[in-house]
Amino acid sequence: MRSFHTIIVGLGAMGSAAAFHLARRGAEVLGIEQFPIGHDLGSSHGRSRMIRLAYSEHPDYVPLLHRAYQLWEELERLSGRKLLHQTGGLYLGLPGSDLVDGALRSARTHGLAHELLQGAEIARRFPPFCPPSQAVALFEPAAGFLLPEQVIRCHVALARASGA
């Protein structure tokens, strides 16, 4: 009977990525999932998931996010699939809001491309929104979305190809 050094239970977004990265480094990996690969029953599933660099939670996340973007580009190259869609992201709130202020702090700390917009400019540039005149927004061009089920399928396929 074959013994595994790494057993991953749950091949959602995190588990499938871990399986791939460990297997490609030569670890013996067994992934176990109770549902079909790419199912929509977990917290990381659904039509899309937002990705951004100007993390409002804290600027310390930004170096990790730069690395994540590199890994998404690598996954796209290895899989031949378009997974990361950089559409730009809008952080909208009132002056002093944690969301806008936090994203602005991250953008300024790490020199991220961004624009700070005021109420009328927000409505002009983004017609679906009708913010109050005192609203502010940070636009981050690098933000976008990922396709989680496709990401998971790609990670699992590449993990299998790497021996998992």
Side-chain angles (χ1 to χ4, degrees):
M1 180 173 185
R2 185 173 177 193
S3 67
F4 291 90
H5 294 105
T6 305
I7 298 175
I8 297 171
V9 178
L11 292 174
M14 296 296 286
S16 63
F20 165 56
H21 287 283
L22 288 167
R24 78 187 289 205
R25 287 177 175 82
E28 292 186 42
V29 176
L30 173 65
I32 300 171
E33 176 56 61
Q34 66 178 326
F35 302 111
I37 300 302
H39 64 82
D40 62 357
L41 301 171
S43 63
S44 61
H45 301 273
R47 294 181 60 108
S48 64
R49 286 292 176 267
M50 182 179 177
I51 186 167
R52 63 211 190 277
L53 289 171
Y55 229 55
S56 61
E57 289 82 350
H58 199 279
D60 287 351
Y61 286 101
V62 175
L64 297 171
L65 296 161
H66 277 298
R67 179 65 179 137
Y69 272 68
Q70 291 170 349
L71 292 172
W72 292 123
E73 290 170 8
E74 179 184 39
L75 183 62
E76 286 182 327
R77 185 177 44 77
L78 293 172
S79 69
R81 305 282 306 267
K82 180 71 177 160
L83 303 167
L84 171 62
H85 301 269
Q86 290 179 274
T87 58
L90 191 66
Y91 308 76
L92 179 64
L94 295 175
S97 69
D98 290 342
L99 177 69
V100 177
D101 284 358
L104 184 59
R105 186 172 48 255
S106 286
R108 287 179 173 163
T109 299
H110 293 280
L112 303 175
H114 70 282
E115 294 176 66
L116 196 56
L117 308 172
Q118 304 297 319
E121 178 68 2
I122 298 165
R124 187 186 69 72
R125 293 260 310 268
F126 303 95
F129 297 104
C130 297
S133 61
Q134 70 271 28
V136 294
L138 180 132
F139 176 73
E140 179 195 358
F145 66 94
L146 295 156
L147 303 170
E149 282 80 11
Q150 289 183 32
V151 164
I152 291 165
R153 286 187 196 101
C154 290
H155 273 135
V156 169
L158 290 168
R160 286 177 173 156
S162 298

